[in-house]
Amino acid sequence: MTTLSELLAEHTRMQGETVDHLQRVVSEWQLLADMSFADFLLWVPLDESPEPDGANTSFRAADDVVRVRGGGRAVTEGRICRDDDPRWHLEVPVRRETIPVRRSGRTVAVLSRDTNLATPRVPSPLEIAYLGSASDLCQMIVDGTFPHSVPLGTTEGSPRAGDGLIRLDVHGNVAYASPNALSAYHRMGHASDVAGTELAVVTRRLVLDPFEAADVATKITEALEGKASPRMEIRGRRASMVVRSLPLRPRGDPAGALVLVRDVTDLRRRDMALLSKDATIREIHHRVKNNLQTVAALLRMQSRRSAHPEAARALEESVRRVTSIALVHEALAYSVAETVELDALLEKVLPAIRDGATAEARARVRVEGGFGTLPAGRATPLVLVLTELVHNALAHAYDQGESGEVVVSARRSAGWLEVVVADDGHGMPEGFDVETAQGLGLQIVRTLLTSELEATLRMGDRDGGGTEALIRLPLGGSPNGSG
């Protein structure tokens, strides 16, 4: 989707500060639309300076060049203009108003506000408060004082009008509070109505932290003095609330302030529950890692006491496998997500395999490329597969005292992870078939690749000598849903 800044760069010669101002306008028009009960559209002149001839002016919205009826008057007269007659859209009468967007004394764009006239009714107190506040803000757009010059992004996540709206008079007393705003204050601990009360004082009494209390009271007071503030979150005894205050100064005359509030109590409780759940999961991984390390230590002790070389070797291989799984759980114990950074993990696993595989071979292990991250359900079997293949290469590709190199290389695309384990040893034995090989290590590899990873394995002679094992792993998913 084309962004506003891209459209402006393509079709206008606007300066960066003007572009920032229009982006702030767009970031605020959800609030304007909600309070106006109308649709808004931003029209940008085809060049930076519309012709002040009083005629209809050519503007561009998205990729359509149009003639904005009334746009010329709004530009030349520098005021909000309303069409004399409603226009019809899909058999619905619509009243259009054009609002010049001014900055530094110049009109840089035009906002159109289209109101549906099909269902006239007597406005409620809420609608009166909404429409009055919207009119003040629209006039401030004409004045060039709204939106306020706050850093882009500081209004992100701000309360909307429907979350809770409070209109203050010039003295800071509540002239109107929407039902949702009153409900949020009741949940914070205010038992009675807020109408007629001094909102800064009431809000300050409800906040637990004295610094937060003083800060929010100051921001509400500063809004009465013409200073806007970014949103802030405050906490009471039983609830939490997000507050944002906006000054209302149409034509430069103080008209009070607008305070938007949103009850975020349930949202914060869910956040805390998720944090607690994450902490529990990490603790489980930590304990599993400790238990696996204990099992590995016991197996290692048994291996050292064994009088049979084959039994000792089998126990040592079990130690290696258990240690590899323990390292995966160690990585998960320090992760905020159920994903594993394979590159960092293999830096720990592969040297341990090299040191413990065989005392006779002096081959080294090297990693090329990047594995990236994988879900825990896929990382564990993949690490086991790689440890088995690397151990197999170190144990069988080289003679006693012979040096060499085993290279584990990865290539990752959007849908696949391809891993090659290659050695420069003696190559595969005559008649060897990976699908029928009876060694325990390769049986483990075949089982994990088929049942856990839905991956394929191909082994063959490497160009220039040695053996090469290719794993092709789909990244889209896995049978257990962990992908």
Side-chain angles (χ1 to χ4, degrees):
M1 180 181 295
T2 307
T3 64
L4 175 62
S5 59
E6 291 171 340
L7 285 173
L8 295 177
E10 181 180 357
H11 300 293
T12 75
R13 296 187 300 275
M14 287 185 177
Q15 300 300 313
E17 293 180 355
T18 303
V19 172
D20 289 344
H21 184 72
L22 292 183
Q23 286 182 320
R24 281 191 285 268
V25 170
V26 171
S27 70
E28 297 286 8
W29 71 6
Q30 180 69 64
L31 175 65
L32 295 172
D34 288 346
M35 293 194 301
S36 299
F37 304 100
D39 295 323
F40 276 76
L41 192 60
L42 178 69
W43 303 91
V44 179
L46 292 179
D47 58 38
E48 196 172 356
S49 302
E51 296 179 6
D53 57 3
N56 292 337
T57 307
S58 293
F59 285 83
R60 178 179 292 270
D63 290 325
D64 299 323
V65 181
V66 299
R67 309 287 290 187
V68 182
R69 187 169 56 165
R73 284 196 300 134
V75 172
T76 57
E77 299 177 18
R79 64 179 181 86
I80 299 174
C81 297
R82 179 184 297 181
D83 286 353
D84 296 330
D85 300 314
R87 60 189 185 88
W88 293 81
H89 178 69
L90 300 176
E91 300 184 354
V92 175
V94 175
R95 183 185 67 207
R96 167 164 288 181
E97 295 172 286
T98 48
I99 305 162
V101 181
R102 295 176 62 81
R103 183 181 179 278
S104 301
R106 297 173 53 253
T107 299
V108 296
V110 171
L111 274 178
S112 64
R113 177 167 60 175
D114 295 339
T115 304
N116 186 346
L117 302 178
T119 55
R121 60 186 184 276
V122 178
S124 66
L126 181 144
E127 291 176 343
I128 294 172
Y130 272 34
L131 292 171
S133 300
S135 296
D136 288 343
L137 291 177
C138 287
Q139 181 57 49
M140 292 170 65
I141 290 177
V142 179
D143 301 336
T145 57
F146 183 81
H148 307 91
S149 297
V150 295
L152 290 173
T154 57
T155 60
E156 203 169 306
S158 293
R160 297 176 58 171
D163 295 324
L165 178 144
I166 299 174
R167 175 71 185 253
L168 304 182
D169 62 20
V170 293
H171 304 293
N173 298 321
V174 177
Y176 174 79
S178 70
N180 284 345
L182 186 59
S183 174
Y185 269 83
H186 285 170
R187 200 165 185 184
M188 286 286 290
H190 185 71
S192 58
D193 196 356
V194 295
T197 63
E198 189 175 352
L199 188 68
V201 175
V202 171
T203 307
R204 183 168 188 162
R205 291 171 180 166
L206 300 175
V207 182
L208 285 177
D209 188 295
F211 295 103
E212 281 185 359
D215 195 17
V216 70
T218 299
K219 284 181 168 54
I220 293 173
T221 303
E222 288 178 344
L224 297 169
E225 300 169 354
K227 183 178 179 181
S229 66
R231 71 182 186 94
M232 69 173 297
E233 186 169 330
I234 55 177
R235 292 166 295 168
R237 286 181 174 80
R238 301 185 304 274
S240 298
M241 185 168 67
V242 174
V243 180
R244 184 188 178 202
S245 53
L246 297 170
L248 296 176
R249 294 202 162 203
R251 299 182 178 86
D253 300 326
L258 196 65
V259 179
L260 302 172
V261 299
R262 180 188 178 196
D263 181 5
V264 293
T265 307
D266 295 335
L267 182 63
R268 292 298 169 259
R269 286 175 179 169
R270 286 196 295 269
D271 290 344
M272 292 302 297
L274 288 174
L275 288 174
S276 176
K277 178 182 177 182
D278 289 342
T280 301
I281 292 173
R282 289 197 295 272
E283 177 63 21
I284 290 172
H285 285 303
H286 181 72
R287 294 188 181 187
V288 169
K289 183 262 297 185
N290 289 343
N291 290 338
L292 289 173
Q293 288 179 335
T294 301
V295 172
L298 293 173
L299 291 173
R300 191 175 291 109
M301 290 174 59
Q302 186 66 39
S303 170
R304 291 169 180 169
R305 291 172 178 266
S306 175
H308 303 283
E310 287 190 10
R313 188 161 46 251
L315 289 170
E316 284 296 331
E317 290 182 359
S318 297
V319 169
R320 171 176 50 80
R321 292 167 183 141
V322 172
T323 302
S324 298
I325 300 174
L327 288 171
V328 174
H329 284 280
E330 182 180 30
L332 290 170
Y334 295 101
S335 173
V336 295
E338 282 289 291
T339 56
V340 177
E341 287 280 354
L342 282 178
D343 298 290
L345 182 60
L346 290 175
E347 287 181 2
K348 299 178 180 179
V349 174
L350 296 183
I353 299 172
R354 179 198 60 200
D355 296 338
T358 171
E360 292 82 9
R362 294 180 297 186
R364 66 190 186 97
V365 180
R366 180 166 57 87
V367 179
E368 291 182 346
F371 287 83
T373 62
L374 280 182
R378 314 199 83 190
T380 302
L382 181 59
V383 168
L384 282 174
V385 166
L386 294 178
T387 58
E388 292 297 335
L389 291 176
V390 171
H391 179 269
N392 190 65
L394 291 171
H396 302 292
Y398 306 99
D399 293 331
Q400 180 176 353
E402 189 176 6
S403 61
E405 183 179 60
V406 178
V407 180
V408 181
S409 58
R411 184 176 62 186
R412 184 165 183 156
S413 65
W416 296 89
L417 174 63
E418 291 186 349
V419 184
V420 176
V421 180
D423 63 70
D424 55 358
H426 302 304
M428 298 174 62
E430 187 71 27
F432 177 83
D433 184 0
V434 67
E435 296 297 331
T436 59
Q438 296 302 308
L440 178 60
L442 287 177
Q443 290 185 40
I444 292 174
V445 167
R446 291 197 302 267
T447 300
L448 292 176
L449 290 176
T450 303
S451 63
E452 298 292 331
L453 298 172
E454 290 187 339
T456 59
L457 172 66
R458 187 174 72 244
M459 292 187 70
D461 291 328
R462 177 192 180 198
D463 293 340
T467 304
E468 182 177 86
L470 170 63
I471 300 169
R472 197 162 190 262
L473 168 69
L475 298 176
S478 64
N480 58 14
S482 58

